[in-house]
């Protein structure tokens, strides 16, 4: 698989993020919008290779908001790019502790470990990334590379060969930006407030991650449609999307579309209200969790991650439904917010009709 | 047998395929078949046991419904019958697997009642590394690729030089690499898989599994151990075809298998004839000493136990060579290939260490066989009859001072220890003088039987003359000629 296109593919997502920030800005959530602009600037400086400048800017920003995960992440990437591995390790490690639900810091930690020939540590970090988000494509691909290297090492040991023969470093992909837009509109003040008392904010972090399978990744493969400007959910932004999503479903199935939509919304609301019975009932009997988990352990996992959050909100935007007989696909942008976390991601639900009910058969991030 | 093996292998393939489907990101695609097949060949080629375990899990439910589980609990004898098939699962697994193993046993009993290699003993925890490796096989066989991978990782962490474990770990990792990851590593993996040394590791895997699948039948001993005096607290039997060493504990209740270990023999196999032929001798031997590992090169690992090859029978047949030891492995190797030594029997160091604590110099017999035959106690007793009557005849002739009668028990080239006696006459003279017509008691008698082209018996005993408290210990080598047993060698042990 050609690897070079991937990093670029990742950046191609930025417009959406930008759109998010802009949307947030237009609706008057000035503070986070400004923050978003700062992130954007640092990101641009990084892309332009002006790492020193980027670092200066990042540091200045972090002076005011030392807990801002996005900027801390960017700083970690800068440190990585400037060869300050140990500092980058420290930065990403701290992020995995403060925001264990984010896969990106784990991924980047893995990249550093792999570059130090610590492939088992890299594996472990990548597995954490994937546990956080099972369909996280970059981490998956990196993990494949790490497995290949570990396999190669194991075979060398099996054959008692000199392992230095094979020592071409696998090139793992670094993730260069968090897609999690730091407070896009929404409850910026609440977030800032919660970020302020450091120890208090730290407490919930290591707890089982809210599984809101966060940032979308796989973009190259994504079918074009939903690149619309998502609105900040509670900010009452104008509906107007600059590039309205192409009408996804043929008009025929409107009745079914409505059924599917209500199933999806019911699922989201059950999730938000932490009603586990209703939430789990939204999944059909042949639902298979990703990552090879058993249904039972998946359910336990979900329960652990959902129940007990002080609050959850799950908003659905740009819902596009395609019905094909007894099967349906619902693609949408999911904006998940829980405790200190705020994640927007693209989600696809495959549903299947049984009687009058639509049940989720497959859940994936991206696409 | 071949048929059922094939069927089981297919079952494994199904299980494996099923298991893989649960990991959508790494779904098996044609491009990855190579990895999966290689994995199957290393893990599954000879692992129908694992398949059986998973296979019967399904049936366990129905067996239980039909009252099969109670049967398993009640009929411990039927459980041992089936143990051959499920032995590893019962011991390699922890407590929580016990119920499942029992259920499987029940179903195995019902589905395969006539399994020939019924077994008395399950694999011992003694060789912990092997038990853990087998557990990995089993998990993989049940489609639990991820947990298998985690276990394999722990195993290679604990035993980094266990090459077979590394191979299995490598296979499990390689199976996780998505087909799209075309990397230098993938190429190097393919290259390493073509390495001839891989074949040796696969052979090791096959033999370990075979030995664990085909357990010695209940209440049997190797056919060489007809009678063993309790002076020998342990006995060792090596089955070269299975690359296995069986350790027995001996008590007044008889021989009991206590542990068995993977071993390697000579590069050129067994049946040593001449010095330097890189073969392991076949026969009945005794441990002659224990060499301090500090005095040895690293190559011999945790220690060395020389055996008395060539024994008098070997010498009689003109076999040459020497320095045949049971010894450990060099630091860089946990275990060696099945055929890897210059004629020694090589064990993993942790295994050898266990043996070192148990053997008695001069008293622990070591049988090395191409393939062990296992016999029951009544059979063993039956086979001792002719030699016991020969010994008693010899004893009586000696006590009676009947030289002509006594002479019949000796072959013309009889030797005592290493002193050549002329025409066997002096030996007879000596015996008569020695006995002086006194009544004698034999105690601590052992009969070790060795049959290849000839039928030989190694008889060890102590003799105590009337009125005395102790006496000599002797070891006699007898050879069957027609229906008669004749002495061709004797050692006075002290």
């Amino acid at each position: 698989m050609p690897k070079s296109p991937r990093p670029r593919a990742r950046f191609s997502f930025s417009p959406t993020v930008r759109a998010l920030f802009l949307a947030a800005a237009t609706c008057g959530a000035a503070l986070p919008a400004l923050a978003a602009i700062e992130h954007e600037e640092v990101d641009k400086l990084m892309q332009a290779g002006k790492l020193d400048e980027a670092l200066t800017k990042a540091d200045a920003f972090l002076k005011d908001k030392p807990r801002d995960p996005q900027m801390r992440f960017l700083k970690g990437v800068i440190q990585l790019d400037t060869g300050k591995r140990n500092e980058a390790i420290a930065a990403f490690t701290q992020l995995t502790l403060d925001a264990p639900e984010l896969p990106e810091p784990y991924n980047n930690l893995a990249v550093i470990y792999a570059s130090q020939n610590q492939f088992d540590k890299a594996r472990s970090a990548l597995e954490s990334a994937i546990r956080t988000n099972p369909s996280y494509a970059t981490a998956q691909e990196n993990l494949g590379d790490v497995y290949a290297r570990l396999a190669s090492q194991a075979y060398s040991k099996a054959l008692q060969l000199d392992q230095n023969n094979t020592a071409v470093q696998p090139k793992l992909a670094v993730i260069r930006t968090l897609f999690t837009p730091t407070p896009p509109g929404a409850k910026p003040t609440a977030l800032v407030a919660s970020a302020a008392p450091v120890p208090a904010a730290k407490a919930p972090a290591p707890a089982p991650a809210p599984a809101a399978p966060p940032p979308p990744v796989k973009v190259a493969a994504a079918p074009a449609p939903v690149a619309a400007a998502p609105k900040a959910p509670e900010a009452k932004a104008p509906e107007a999307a600059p590039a309205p999503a192409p009408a996804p479903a043929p008009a025929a199935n409107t009745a079914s579309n409505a059924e599917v939509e209500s199933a999806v919304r019911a699922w989201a609301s059950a999730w938000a209200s932490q009603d586990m019975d209703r939430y789990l009932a939204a999944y059909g009997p042949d639902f298979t969790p990703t990552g090879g988990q058993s249904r039972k352990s998946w359910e336990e996992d979900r329960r652990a991650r959902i129940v007990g959050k002080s609050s959850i909100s799950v908003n659905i935007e740009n819902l596009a439904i395609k019905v094909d007989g007894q099967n349906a696909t619902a693609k949408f942008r999911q904006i998940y917010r829980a405790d200190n976390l705020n994640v927007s991601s693209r989600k696809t639900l495959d549903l299947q009709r049984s009687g009058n009910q639509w049940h989720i058969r497959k859940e994936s991030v991206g696409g | 047998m071949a048929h059922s093996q094939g069927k089981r292998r297919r079952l494994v393939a199904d299980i494996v395929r099923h298991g893989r489907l649960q990991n959508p990101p790494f779904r098996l695609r044609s491009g990855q078949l190579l990895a999966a097949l290689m994995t199957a060949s290393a893990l599954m080629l000879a692992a129908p046991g694992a398949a059986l375990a998973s296979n019967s899990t399904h049936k366990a439910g129905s067996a239980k419904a039909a009252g099969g589980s109670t049967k398993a609990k009640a009929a411990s004898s039927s459980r041992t019958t089936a143990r051959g098939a499920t032995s590893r699962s019962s011991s390699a697994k922890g407590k929580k697997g016990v119920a499942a193993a029992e259920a499987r046993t029940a179903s195995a009993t019902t589905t395969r009642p006539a399994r020939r290699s019924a077994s008395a003993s399950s694999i011992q925890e003694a060789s912990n590394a092997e038990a853990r490796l087998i557990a990995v096989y089993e998990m993989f066989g049940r489609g639990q690729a991820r947990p298998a991978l985690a276990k394999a990782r722990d195993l290679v962490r604990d035993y980094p030089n266990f090459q077979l474990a590394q191979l299995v770990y490598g296979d499990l990792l390689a199976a996780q690499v998505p087909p799209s990851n075309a990397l230098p590593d993938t190429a190097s993996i393919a290259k390493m898989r073509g390495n001839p040394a891989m074949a040796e590791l696969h052979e090791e895997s096959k033999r370990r599994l075979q030995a664990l699948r085909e357990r010695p039948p209940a209440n049997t001993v190797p056919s060489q151990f007809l009678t063993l005096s309790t002076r020998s607290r342990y006995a060792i039997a090596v089955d070269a075809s299975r690359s296995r060493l069986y350790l027995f504990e001996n008590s007044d209740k008889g021989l009991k298998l206590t542990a068995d270990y993977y071993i390697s023999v000579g590069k050129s196999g067994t049946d040593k004839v001449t010095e330097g032929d890189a073969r392991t001798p076949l026969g009945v031997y005794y441990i002659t000493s224990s060499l301090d590992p500090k005095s040895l090169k690293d190559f011999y690992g945790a220690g060395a136990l020389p055996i008395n090859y060539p024994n008098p029978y070997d010498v009689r047949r003109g076999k040459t060579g020497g320095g045949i030891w049971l010894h450990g492995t060099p630091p860089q190797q946990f275990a060696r290939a099945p055929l890897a030594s210059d004629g020694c029997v090589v064990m993993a160091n942790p295994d050898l260490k266990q043996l070192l604590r148990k053997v008695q110099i001069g008293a622990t017999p070591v049988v090395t066989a191409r393939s062990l035959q296992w016999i029951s106690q009544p059979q063993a007793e039956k086979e001792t009859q002719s030699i016991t009557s020969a010994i008693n005849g010899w004893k009586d002739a000696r006590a009676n001072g009947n030289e002509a009668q006594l002479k019949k028990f000796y072959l013309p080239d009889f030797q005592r220890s290493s002193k050549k006696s002329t025409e066997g006459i002096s030996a007879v003279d000596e015996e008569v003088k020695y006995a002086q017509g006194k009544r004698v008691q034999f105690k601590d008698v052992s009969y070790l039987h060795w049959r290849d082209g000839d039928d030989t018996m190694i008889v060890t005993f102590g003799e105590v003359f009337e009125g005395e408290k102790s006496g000599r210990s002797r070891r006699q080598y007898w050879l069957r000629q027609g229906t008669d047993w004749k002495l061709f060698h004797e050692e006075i042990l002290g």
Side-chain angles (χ1 to χ4, degrees):
Chain A
M1 181 90 187
K3 289 192 63 167
S4 46
R6 262 181 207 278
R8 248 166 283 135
R10 250 177 256 125
F11 284 114
S12 76
F13 212 79
S14 298
T16 317
V17 178
R18 243 168 254 143
L20 258 167
F21 296 150
L22 288 173
T26 45
C27 69
L31 185 69
L34 279 174
I37 287 164
E38 306 240 27
H39 296 144
E40 186 73 344
E41 279 177 19
V42 173
D43 192 11
K44 268 187 193 150
L45 287 169
M46 286 165 68
Q47 286 187 57
K50 297 175 184 165
L51 297 177
D52 290 345
E53 252 177 88
L55 185 61
T56 314
K57 223 173 182 70
D59 280 336
F61 180 92
L62 286 170
K63 219 170 172 187
D64 283 351
K65 292 190 253 326
R67 296 195 51 79
D68 181 275
Q70 166 82 331
M71 194 57 89
R72 283 162 67 195
F73 181 83
L74 290 174
K75 187 177 171 186
V77 176
I78 298 169
Q79 286 165 331
L80 176 57
D81 286 347
T82 48
K84 294 174 189 151
R85 276 180 183 171
N86 290 339
E87 288 163 40
I89 288 178
F92 292 130
T93 305
Q94 195 53 47
L95 269 173
T96 63
L97 297 175
D98 295 347
E101 51 286 323
L102 298 178
E104 292 89 345
Y106 284 113
N107 180 80
N108 287 3
L109 265 182
V111 174
I112 303 174
Y113 290 143
S115 73
Q116 297 175 332
N117 279 322
Q118 301 189 68
F119 290 100
D120 221 43
K121 277 175 109 171
R123 171 197 57 78
S124 171
L126 286 167
E127 283 174 352
S128 297
I130 285 162
R131 212 172 302 127
T132 301
N133 182 349
S135 35
Y136 197 66
T138 305
Q140 291 282 15
E141 197 179 335
N142 285 343
L143 183 58
D145 289 5
V146 168
Y147 277 146
R149 167 49 57 96
L150 285 167
S152 174
Q153 286 182 343
Y155 285 128
S156 300
K157 285 179 194 160
L159 295 168
Q160 304 204 313
L161 301 173
D162 181 6
Q163 286 171 54
N164 298 329
N165 299 345
T166 56
V168 184
Q169 278 293 329
K171 200 97 183 109
L172 302 192
V174 179
I175 293 171
R176 307 209 156 266
T177 179
L178 275 182
F179 290 117
T180 321
T182 357
K187 293 175 183 161
T189 42
L191 233 141
V192 170
S194 82
V198 175
K202 207 165 174 178
V217 166
K218 216 175 172 179
V219 168
V226 207
K231 58 171 183 171
E234 280 154 60
K236 312 239 165 6
E239 271 299 41
N253 263 323
T254 41
S256 303
N257 276 12
E259 284 171 21
V260 172
E261 176 165 357
S262 84
V264 171
R265 298 213 181 271
W267 161 82
S269 95
W271 183 1
S273 57
Q274 306 182 25
D275 179 342
M276 288 310 290
D277 290 343
R278 264 204 313 135
Y279 175 80
L280 294 174
Y283 294 84
D286 50 356
F287 169 74
T288 332
T290 42
Q293 244 183 336
S294 77
R295 171 74 178 247
K296 194 163 165 281
S297 84
W298 172 82
E299 285 189 5
E300 282 163 10
D301 208 30
R302 295 306 291 151
R303 204 177 288 276
R305 285 175 177 229
I306 292 171
V307 177
K309 291 270 173 317
S310 62
S311 78
I312 294 181
S313 85
V314 181
N315 283 291
I316 288 173
E317 292 181 358
N318 300 332
L319 178 62
I321 291 168
K322 204 151 80 189
V323 179
D324 179 12
Q326 301 301 303
N327 296 307
T329 345
K331 291 175 192 271
F332 49 91
R333 168 156 297 282
Q334 167 186 299
I335 290 137
Y336 171 91
R337 209 169 287 126
D339 296 347
N340 198 14
L341 181 78
N342 189 334
V343 178
S344 150
S345 59
R346 227 198 279 238
K347 180 69 78 76
T348 302
L349 295 179
D350 291 348
L351 298 101
Q352 193 167 36
R353 190 213 298 267
S354 56
N356 292 334
Q357 298 290 317
W358 287 90
H359 287 118
I360 300 166
R361 209 166 48 84
K362 196 175 154 225
E363 177 172 3
S364 45
V365 181
Chain B
M1 187 67 188
H3 171 73
S4 66
Q5 196 115 342
K7 193 171 152 203
R8 267 180 258 137
R9 204 173 301 163
R10 208 164 343 107
L11 263 164
V12 177
D14 289 343
I15 292 161
V16 171
R17 219 171 295 135
H18 182 73
R20 312 239 76 242
L21 282 177
Q22 294 176 349
N23 296 334
F26 295 147
R27 192 170 300 162
L28 192 67
R29 273 176 242 133
S30 59
Q32 206 184 331
L33 264 179
L34 174 74
L37 282 175
M38 288 308 294
T39 306
S41 71
L43 296 184
M44 289 306 148
L45 197 67
L52 183 68
S54 354
N55 175 24
S56 36
T57 317
H58 304 299
K59 292 175 189 156
S62 55
K64 204 174 261 176
S69 61
T70 49
K71 194 162 122 207
K73 270 181 216 121
S76 65
S77 63
S78 72
R79 188 157 67 224
T80 42
T81 318
R83 190 81 57 85
T86 57
S87 55
R88 279 119 25 267
S89 52
S90 47
S91 67
K93 223 175 299 166
K95 335 82 218 172
K96 78 175 170 197
V98 170
E102 228 170 53
R104 266 198 296 284
T105 309
S107 74
T109 314
T110 51
T111 55
R112 260 166 252 272
R115 196 168 160 80
R116 195 171 49 81
S117 57
S119 140
S121 56
S122 52
I123 180 194
Q124 306 294 311
E125 282 298 321
S127 187
N128 178 259
E130 180 175 67
R132 289 170 62 181
L133 178 68
I134 300 307
V136 172
Y137 285 151
E138 285 185 331
M139 278 188 184
F140 184 76
R142 283 197 298 271
Q144 300 168 351
R146 294 302 187 96
L149 182 58
K151 289 271 178 210
R153 178 163 50 242
D154 292 348
L155 180 58
V156 299
R157 181 199 57 214
D158 295 347
Y159 299 95
N161 294 329
F162 191 173
Q163 293 167 268
L164 179 56
Q166 290 283 4
L167 170 60
V168 169
Y169 179 47
D171 276 344
L172 288 168
L173 284 164
Q176 298 285 343
V177 179
S180 53
N181 288 52
L183 295 161
D185 281 319
T186 329
S188 88
I189 285 169
K191 204 171 136 203
M192 284 189 277
R193 277 180 175 148
N195 190 308
M198 281 289 180
E200 289 181 347
L201 291 171
H202 287 198
E203 186 62 25
E204 176 184 337
S205 174
K206 206 175 96 185
R207 296 207 183 186
R208 284 181 189 267
L209 286 165
Q210 183 199 8
L212 296 172
R213 204 166 52 238
E214 294 163 16
R215 304 298 300 161
N219 302 316
T220 60
V221 295
S223 61
Q224 291 79 12
F225 297 143
L226 293 187
T227 304
L228 200 60
S229 145
T230 49
R231 286 281 170 114
S232 296
R233 291 188 44 224
Y234 291 92
I236 289 167
V238 171
D239 185 321
S241 71
R242 293 192 163 79
S243 300
R244 206 88 189 152
L245 182 148
Y246 299 88
L247 174 67
F248 297 86
E249 191 168 355
N250 189 32
S251 68
D252 43 14
K253 291 186 200 107
L255 284 173
K256 198 175 132 258
L257 180 60
T258 59
D260 54 292
Y261 312 97
Y262 169 81
I263 50 107
S264 311
V265 298
K267 282 179 214 125
S268 307
T270 53
D271 206 2
K272 184 172 196 65
V273 176
T274 53
E275 182 162 9
D277 63 6
R279 292 173 181 273
T280 300
L282 296 177
V284 178
Y285 303 97
Y286 279 91
I287 303 277
T288 58
S289 58
S290 179
L291 306 180
D292 183 350
K294 288 191 207 94
S295 70
L296 298 170
K297 287 188 208 149
D298 281 352
F299 179 78
Y300 298 103
L305 298 166
I307 60 172
N308 64 325
Y309 173 87
N311 68 16
Y313 179 49
D314 297 323
V315 171
R316 191 168 195 276
R317 292 185 296 177
K319 297 198 173 181
T320 56
I324 303 298
W325 300 353
L326 313 186
H327 67 76
T329 52
Q332 68 273 18
Q333 274 181 316
F334 177 77
R336 291 170 64 183
L339 305 180
S341 75
D342 282 325
C344 291
V345 172
V346 181
M347 309 173 70
N349 290 325
D351 297 348
L352 182 75
K353 279 181 188 160
Q354 297 197 351
L355 214 58
L356 289 173
R357 284 202 294 270
K358 297 189 166 163
V359 295
Q360 302 158 279
I361 308 309
T364 302
V366 179
V367 163
T368 54
R370 195 175 275 123
S371 171
L372 289 171
Q373 306 297 313
W374 298 80
I375 60 170
S376 66
Q377 192 55 36
Q379 251 176 294
E381 278 163 21
K382 210 174 138 221
E383 298 218 18
T384 10
Q385 280 167 16
S386 69
I387 185 70
T388 36
S389 66
I391 293 274
N392 286 331
W394 174 81
K395 184 166 85 171
D396 291 346
R398 187 177 65 157
N400 299 336
N402 186 338
E403 288 195 18
Q405 192 68 30
L406 191 58
K407 208 176 155 188
K408 281 192 196 164
F409 288 98
Y410 290 84
L411 283 174
D413 57 348
F414 172 81
Q415 288 183 349
R416 179 181 264 187
S417 290
S418 54
K419 282 177 288 174
K420 178 128 182 149
S421 64
T422 45
E423 302 297 304
I425 298 300
S426 72
V428 172
D429 289 347
E430 235 173 84
E431 284 295 353
V432 171
K433 275 184 212 140
Y434 178 67
Q436 293 174 334
K438 278 184 288 186
R439 284 162 56 90
V440 68
Q441 251 199 325
F442 285 1
K443 44 174 227 175
D444 299 324
V445 188
S446 292
Y447 296 106
L448 299 181
H449 193 190
W450 180 256
R451 197 183 294 179
D452 42 30
D454 296 323
D455 203 355
T456 59
M457 200 70 78
I458 301 175
V459 186
T460 309
F461 58 89
E463 52 182 7
V464 181
F465 286 98
E466 203 170 36
E468 288 176 30
K469 286 223 164 65
S470 59
R472 296 202 214 181
S473 279
R474 297 173 183 247
R475 180 162 295 153
Q476 299 183 330
Y477 287 79
W478 295 74
L479 179 68
R480 177 130 76 178
Q481 302 225 307
T483 54
D484 299 332
W485 286 97
K486 307 269 188 190
L487 263 166
F488 67 89
H489 192 95
E490 183 177 67
E491 290 163 355
I492 305 297
L493 302 177

